[in-house]
């Protein structure tokens, strides 16, 4: 007996029992496809969050006016105006602080040619782009001297640029913000959604001085909506936080025992929370995937067990006409392997196809790694091959007469 | 009783000495009950003989045939096949004997389902290590001789009982074994088909000198054989030349 002949025999057996072969493969297909799909969604979510965090800038604090509220921090508390531009400049002098970027915001009407667009105007200093790790798609940022002279220059977010100017090159064009002409000096790189789900690219950025004097106006001159603070090193963030708090309490003349009238948030800590959430999500999806794999595995096991047991008689006949144990075992092993490999490959294609569909229709990032593919494939194959092989081995170790008499 | 006076040529193909076979079963209380099915069988069959085994249902005919066919093993006693003590052979060696030296024909045909007649007949050659093309060629030749060449591509469920049995006989013959064991080969067939099958056996025995041992319940089937053995309750009670 040679291996090739047995291989042919196995292939023939699979072809002759299309239904059985198909059903067995189905378990394999579903198990592998489900795992690949689940894991790729989980992995995609993690990657997405990591990208968002990386885009946020490093060693960042955000300081907002108002006392710490129990529900976390929000930018909505417009009535409290306790932080000033000068607070920001003074904090920047601290040894543990690299730089600060004070920010005022407001909504304004933009226009270019016949187009109108209402969006958020961010007024800030020139180092804002660096602190928030925001790269330029085209043109340049505005400069410190633009800030000092309250120049009418603007940097557009990518979505705003698209909406206002369409396919035109925005650099050097003049747009109007609440009817005042502004020169477009740059366009920001797309950043996507923030961790809170806001589209960060629909905005325009102008010098803080220009914003305060000419666009949003200010009931409380010098007050700001928030400031970004960048520490000098990741290891000194705790010291930096204490120094910021001390300095601000001193500047705001807050008596001992009184509450702060501002809140300092370490954005790295916020990012950690988001990362943890993503991790939990991947674990949940991974658990679902494991269950699918287990169910798929049990399906494979059942059909393999039933079909091989049913074939005990066939094994008896083959032994009666001269097959030795090895020939029979080789045939069943090959059959199980072929089913697992084919089913696994189909499952893989379906899983990848499903992941692609999800990424298209749900606008989610999907990441497929070799590891998850290997995991799904190997586990399902191991189950399929074991349960295809083990009952066959049992049958082949029977006396031929017992296998033949098997009902 | 066993008749030792019957003398055959001094070239035994099969020699069974003091063979016993019993089965152990568990009863409802988990106690083991042993039932003995064959008692002290002594039997010598020479090359070229045509032997019919008869006896009531349950008398142990199939049990004996399965042992002779190396499908089962005796509880004690010895079985010598072509001068070899079967008890000393490995399972691989037994598989080889079943493949090369014995052709088994069953009452229920035992063809492989969903496989053509041609492939069924060719399968033993596959286990003998003969190439697929060569196997199919020889199988087709054999089917032609048994008058089934037009049915070569039929699957068992597309064949009549007689045709299926002829496929099974072709399969038993494909490796040109010196011994054919047939357990009620005509049990599921009508009398005309039975006679055709028996003529085929007779021809194989006479023209090719193949030794045939056949179990039957019918006297006119047994009449084709040259020697008659009768079993009763696991013992040989008659062993004589067939005078028909
Ligand atoms: N695997 C087994 N386990 C237990 N008892 C068995 C087994 N096989 C056969 N027997 C018993 O052995 C006895 C002989 O059975 P066997 O099949 O040899 O009879 P037989 O002569 O071929 O009968 P029939 O003419 O009906 O085919 C029966 O009583 C049967 O119950
Ligand atoms: Mg019987």
């Amino acid at each position: 007996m040679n291996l090739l002949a047995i291989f042919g025999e196995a292939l023939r057996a699979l072809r002759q029992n299309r239904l059985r072969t198909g059903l067995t493969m189905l378990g394999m297909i579903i198990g592998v496809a489900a795992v690949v799909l689940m894991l790729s969604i989980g992995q995609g979510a993690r990657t997405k969050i990591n990208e968002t965090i990386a885009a946020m800038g490093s060693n960042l604090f955000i300081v907002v006016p108002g006392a710490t509220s129990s529900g976390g921090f929000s930018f909505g508390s417009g009535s409290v105006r306790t932080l000033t531009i000068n607070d920001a400049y003074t904090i920047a002098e601290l040894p543990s602080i690299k730089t600060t970027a004070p920010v005022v915001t407001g909504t304004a009407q933009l226009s270019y040619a016949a187009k109108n667009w209402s969006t958020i105007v961010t007024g800030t200093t020139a180092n804002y782009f660096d602190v928030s790790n925001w790269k330029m798609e085209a043109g340049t940022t505005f400069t410190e001297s633009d800030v000092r002279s309250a120049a009418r220059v603007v940097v557009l977010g990518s979505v705003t640029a698209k909406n206002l100017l369409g396919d035109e090159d925005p650099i050097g064009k003049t747009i109007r913000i609440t009817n005042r002409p502004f020169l477009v000096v740059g366009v920001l790189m797309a950043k996507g959604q923030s961790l809170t789900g806001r589209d960060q690219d629909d905005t325009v950025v102008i010098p803080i001085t220009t914003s305060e004097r000419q666009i949003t106006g200010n009931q409380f001159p010098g007050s700001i909506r928030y400031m970004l603070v960048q520490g000098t090193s990741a290891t000194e963030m705790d010291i930096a936080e204490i120094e910021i708090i001390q300095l601000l309490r001193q500047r705001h003349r807050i008596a001992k025992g009184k509450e702060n009238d501002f809140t300092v948030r370490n954005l790295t800590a916020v990012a950690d929370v988001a990362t943890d959430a993503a991790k939990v999500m991947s674990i949940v999806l991974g658990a679902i995937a494991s269950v699918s794999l287990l169910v798929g595995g049990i399906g494979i096991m059942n059909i393999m067990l039933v079909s091989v047991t049913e074939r005990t008689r066939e094994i008896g006949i083959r032994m009666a006409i001269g097959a030795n144990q090895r020939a029979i075992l080789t045939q069943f092993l090959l059959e199980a392997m072929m089913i697992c490999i084919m089913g696994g490959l189909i499952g893989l294609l379906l899983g990848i196809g499903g992941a692609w569909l999800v990424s298209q229709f749900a606008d989610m990032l999907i990441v497929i790694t070799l590891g998850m593919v290997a995991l799904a494939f190997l586990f399902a194959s191991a189950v399929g091959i074991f349960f295809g092989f083990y009952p066959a081995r049992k049958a082949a170790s029977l006396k031929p007469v017992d296998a033949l008499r098997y009902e | 009783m066993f008749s030792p006076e019957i003398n055959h040529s001094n070239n035994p193909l099969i020699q069974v000495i003091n063979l016993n076979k019993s089965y152990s079963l568990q009863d409802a209380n988990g106690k083991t009950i042993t039932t003995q099915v064959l008692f002290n069988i002594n039997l010598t069959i020479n090359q070229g003989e045509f032997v019919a085994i008869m006896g009531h249902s349950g008398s142990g005919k199939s049990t004996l045939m399965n042992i002779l066919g190396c499908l089962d093993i005796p509880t004690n006693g010895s079985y010598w096949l072509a001068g070899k003590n079967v008890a000393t052979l490995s399972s691989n060696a037994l598989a080889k004997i079943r493949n090369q030296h014995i052709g088994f024909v069953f009452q229920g045909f035992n063809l492989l389902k969903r496989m053509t007649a041609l492939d069924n007949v060719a399968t033993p050659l596959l286990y003998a290590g003969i190439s697929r093309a060569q196997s199919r060629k020889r199988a087709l030749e054999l089917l032609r001789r048994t008058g089934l060449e037009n049915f070569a591509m039929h699957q068992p469920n597309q064949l009549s009982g007689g045709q299926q049995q002829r496929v099974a006989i072709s399969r038993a013959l494909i490796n040109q074994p010196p011994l054919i064991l047939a357990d009620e080969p005509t049990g599921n067939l009508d009398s005309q088909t039975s006679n055709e099958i028996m003529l085929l056996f007779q021809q194989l025995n006479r023209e090719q000198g193949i030794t045939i041992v056949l179990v039957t319940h019918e006297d006119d089937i047994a009449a084709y054989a040259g020697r008659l053995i009768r079993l009763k309750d696991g013992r040989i009670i008659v062993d004589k030349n067939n005078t028909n």
Side-chain angles (χ1 to χ4, degrees):
Chain A
M1 85 148 183
N2 60 51
L3 196 64
L4 201 67
I6 306 241
F7 182 80
E9 204 67 3
L11 202 63
R12 226 139 33 96
L14 292 183
R15 277 213 308 261
Q16 278 151 359
N17 290 284
R18 290 215 165 85
L19 183 66
R20 189 180 67 206
T21 307
L23 284 175
T24 320
M25 262 189 212
L26 201 62
M28 205 51 213
I29 291 170
I30 291 172
V32 171
V35 171
V36 169
L37 190 59
M38 296 289 169
L39 291 184
S40 64
I41 290 174
Q43 191 62 42
R46 277 177 86 161
T47 308
K48 181 74 196 262
I49 283 178
N50 286 340
E51 277 173 6
T52 308
I53 287 166
M56 230 162 53
S58 51
N59 304 344
L60 275 194
F61 293 104
I62 185 163
V63 184
V64 294
T68 314
S69 63
S70 55
F73 68 104
S74 88
F75 300 112
S77 49
S79 54
V80 208
R81 293 278 151 135
T82 52
L83 276 185
T84 65
I85 293 179
N86 285 335
D87 283 340
Y89 291 151
T90 322
I91 288 172
E93 310 284 293
L94 287 169
S96 59
I97 301 302
K98 195 168 150 204
T99 183
T100 61
V103 175
V104 296
T105 60
T107 313
Q109 191 72 23
L110 315 186
S111 63
Y112 176 78
K115 279 207 205 115
N116 281 292
W117 186 253
S118 173
T119 190
I120 296 166
V121 174
T122 305
T124 185
T125 50
N127 56 359
Y128 171 79
F129 304 97
D130 193 35
V131 171
S132 60
N133 194 24
W134 213 338
K135 305 277 184 313
M136 302 302 290
E137 170 89 45
T140 59
T141 66
F142 52 76
T143 62
E144 273 310 316
S145 78
D146 289 331
V147 175
R148 276 195 299 276
S149 63
R152 284 187 187 158
V153 286
V154 62
V155 172
L156 302 179
S158 60
V159 169
T160 313
K162 185 103 197 135
N163 283 323
L164 205 57
L165 291 114
D167 291 333
E168 272 186 71
D169 178 11
I171 309 299
K173 298 273 159 36
T174 301
I175 65 165
R176 289 179 168 273
I177 303 178
T178 55
N179 253 333
R180 290 179 178 82
F182 275 76
L183 178 69
V184 178
V185 294
V187 178
L188 291 163
M189 200 91 96
K191 206 170 196 181
Q193 293 184 342
S194 69
L195 285 176
T196 51
R198 191 172 55 83
D199 185 353
Q200 300 174 97
D201 298 320
D202 188 6
T203 189
V204 295
V205 188
I206 61 175
I208 190 166
T209 44
T210 320
S211 173
E212 209 178 20
R213 285 173 216 166
Q214 304 184 25
I215 303 301
T216 49
N218 206 332
Q219 298 169 257
F220 313 97
S223 74
I224 56 172
R225 179 57 70 91
Y226 65 94
M227 69 172 104
L228 294 176
V229 180
Q230 189 165 36
T232 44
S233 83
T235 50
E236 285 179 24
M237 292 296 276
D238 291 345
I239 298 169
E241 185 167 347
I242 293 166
E243 285 184 357
I244 295 168
I245 292 170
Q246 271 177 357
L247 182 64
L248 285 178
R249 284 180 71 90
Q250 197 186 322
R251 282 178 62 81
H252 295 184
R253 300 197 170 79
I254 299 168
K256 258 214 166 94
K258 281 269 167 56
E259 231 184 320
N260 294 340
D261 62 354
F262 57 89
T263 306
V264 180
R265 290 280 166 190
N266 184 337
L267 276 190
T268 319
V270 175
D272 286 348
V273 171
T275 312
D276 284 349
K279 213 179 274 173
V280 169
M281 177 171 159
S282 326
I283 290 172
V284 169
L285 287 175
I288 296 174
S290 312
V291 171
S292 326
L293 205 51
L294 200 67
V295 171
I298 290 170
I300 299 169
M301 178 185 88
N302 280 345
I303 294 180
M304 281 292 187
L305 278 177
V306 168
S307 90
V308 176
T309 315
E310 181 200 73
R311 291 172 73 190
T312 301
R313 214 180 143 78
E314 176 193 330
I315 290 174
I317 296 174
R318 288 182 184 276
M319 289 197 285
I321 61 176
N324 59 23
Q325 279 193 24
R326 220 184 64 208
I328 284 165
L329 291 184
T330 310
Q331 180 185 335
F332 277 78
L333 191 62
L334 285 174
E335 281 185 29
M337 277 166 61
M338 280 189 263
I339 284 181
C340 288
I341 289 171
M342 294 239 296
L345 286 179
I346 296 172
L348 216 58
L349 289 181
L350 279 183
I352 292 172
W356 182 80
L357 279 183
V358 169
S359 74
Q360 293 299 301
F361 290 110
D363 196 26
M364 280 167 76
L365 182 71
I366 298 294
V367 174
I368 294 170
T369 67
L370 203 63
M372 62 177 79
V373 166
L375 171 86
F377 203 93
L378 290 182
F379 179 81
S381 298
V383 172
I385 290 170
F386 179 77
F387 287 102
F389 182 69
Y390 173 73
R393 209 188 66 159
K394 244 174 46 181
S397 65
L398 291 175
K399 280 182 295 181
V401 68
D402 291 329
L404 272 171
R405 214 182 272 140
Y406 195 88
E407 296 292 338
Chain B
M1 289 315 287
F2 179 52
S3 331
E5 72 272 13
I6 294 175
N7 208 7
H8 305 287
S9 83
N10 47 10
N11 185 21
L13 177 64
I14 286 174
Q15 191 157 32
V16 171
I17 301 164
N18 287 333
L19 182 142
N20 291 280
K21 176 74 182 176
S22 42
Y23 290 107
S24 295
L25 290 177
Q26 305 264 309
D27 75 358
N29 307 320
K31 264 203 305 196
T32 306
I33 315 172
T34 305
T35 35
Q36 187 155 1
V37 178
L38 294 176
F39 296 86
N40 246 358
I41 304 286
N42 284 286
L43 179 62
T44 303
I45 297 175
N46 288 310
Q47 200 88 56
E49 276 196 90
F50 190 162
V51 182
I53 299 178
M54 297 190 79
H56 293 299
S57 190
S59 57
K61 307 181 294 294
S62 294
T63 306
L64 178 60
M65 288 292 273
N66 289 335
I67 292 171
L68 295 183
C70 300
L71 300 173
D72 203 353
I73 47 172
T75 309
N76 52 54
S78 58
Y79 169 30
W80 298 74
L81 179 65
K84 277 185 200 139
N85 186 349
V86 167
T88 64
L89 298 175
S90 68
S91 94
N92 274 356
L94 289 175
K96 194 164 178 191
I97 285 180
R98 290 193 295 266
N99 186 242
Q100 307 277 318
H101 301 287
I102 300 173
F104 217 106
V105 179
F106 304 89
Q107 178 176 1
F109 319 134
N110 274 345
L111 295 175
L112 291 171
K113 279 182 242 171
R114 278 174 279 227
M115 233 193 195
T116 62
L118 186 68
D119 285 335
N120 261 291
V121 175
T123 305
L125 289 180
L126 220 65
Y127 293 121
I130 289 164
S131 82
R132 188 158 168 70
Q134 185 69 22
S135 307
R136 299 190 91 181
K137 211 174 122 222
R138 271 173 62 181
L140 193 62
E141 219 167 90
L142 200 55
L143 283 176
R144 192 170 293 141
R145 273 200 282 148
T146 44
L148 284 170
E149 59 179 314
N150 292 334
F151 299 93
M153 298 319 283
H154 285 230
Q155 296 187 356
N157 59 355
Q158 299 164 330
L159 293 170
S160 75
Q163 288 164 342
Q164 288 187 59
Q165 196 59 298
R166 274 189 287 168
V167 172
I169 293 169
S170 306
R171 181 178 67 184
L173 289 171
I174 190 87
N175 263 324
Q176 296 165 310
L179 174 63
I180 295 267
L181 298 171
D183 191 353
E184 299 191 50
T186 60
N188 288 358
L189 305 176
D190 66 32
S191 62
Q192 168 160 8
T193 318
S194 299
N195 283 325
E196 283 168 19
I197 297 284
M198 289 316 295
L199 285 172
L200 182 60
F201 277 130
Q202 199 166 51
Q203 188 192 357
L204 290 169
N205 177 250
R206 288 193 180 149
E207 291 174 11
Q208 298 180 38
I210 297 176
T211 309
I212 294 175
V213 180
L214 168 142
V215 169
T216 182
H217 282 284
E218 285 155 76
D219 290 327
D220 50 344
I221 298 293
Y224 285 90
R227 177 177 166 192
L228 179 72
I229 291 172
R230 200 173 279 280
L231 284 182
K232 189 179 181 207
D233 299 333
R235 292 180 170 84
I236 295 181
I237 52 164
V238 176
D239 186 347
K240 62 168 191 184
N241 282 321
N242 227 350
T243 45
N244 273 16

